[in-house]
Amino acid sequence: MKHDYTSVKNIYIICGKTDMRKGIDGLATLIQDSFELDPYGDSIFLFSGWSKDRYKCLYFDGDGFAMLYKRLDGGKLQLLKDENEVRKLSQQEVRWLLEGLSIQQPKVPFKNHKKEYSKQARNVGL
């Protein structure tokens, strides 16, 4: 089974601690009942339990569910704190997460150079 998951429309992370003993049916029910999302849509759902070195992915490929279970050899997932949140992720955020980085990357402060140039021009009389 090989599938290009980069073309999936939605990628969601279920924040908080999921019972990792749940299988496909249990996770699909959790998605529907707790978060009111459609597990049959073009979406990937990521889950993590108490141990931050493992996660599960659930995906419906059109004729059945696929579930991936991965345990990281080094590092841990940097997950969000809100226990009851589901968050939509970008492809970039998924890469960061699976590489052990935080999905809340610091932003480079934007400096408005045009505004500074205007101030300097006024000060010299232009």
Side-chain angles (χ1 to χ4, degrees):
M1 175 183 94
K2 190 170 183 177
H3 187 79
D4 179 15
Y5 294 104
T6 59
S7 63
V8 173
K9 184 177 178 183
N10 301 305
I11 302 172
Y12 295 103
I13 183 165
I14 309 301
C15 303
K17 297 169 181 73
T18 301
D19 182 353
M20 296 302 275
R21 297 173 294 180
K22 289 182 187 275
I24 290 172
D25 295 334
L27 294 175
T29 300
L30 178 69
I31 292 165
Q32 282 181 314
D33 294 349
S34 297
F35 300 105
E36 299 178 357
L37 294 169
D38 180 13
Y40 295 94
D42 188 20
S43 301
I44 291 176
F45 298 92
L46 297 169
F47 305 87
S48 181
W50 291 95
S51 180
K52 300 292 186 217
D53 68 342
R54 53 198 77 192
Y55 63 91
K56 283 186 177 180
C57 297
L58 187 67
Y59 176 67
F60 185 77
D61 66 2
D63 63 358
F65 281 100
M67 185 169 65
L68 168 78
Y69 180 78
K70 183 166 183 172
R71 186 185 69 208
L72 302 170
D73 280 338
K76 295 187 181 288
L77 296 172
Q78 302 291 318
L79 299 175
L80 301 172
K81 304 286 185 215
D82 190 346
E83 295 284 322
N84 299 314
E85 183 183 4
V86 61
R87 179 170 169 196
K88 188 174 179 180
L89 301 177
S90 68
Q91 291 285 343
Q92 178 69 50
E93 289 172 321
V94 171
R95 280 192 299 277
W96 287 335
L97 182 68
L98 299 182
E99 291 171 0
L101 301 172
S102 172
I103 59 174
Q104 297 173 330
Q105 293 292 312
K107 305 285 189 239
V108 176
F110 175 74
K111 202 171 190 179
N112 189 342
H113 295 288
K114 186 176 182 180
K115 193 181 230 183
E116 283 184 26
Y117 178 75
S118 297
K119 279 183 185 177
Q120 290 173 353
R122 277 184 283 168
N123 289 340
V124 292
L126 294 177

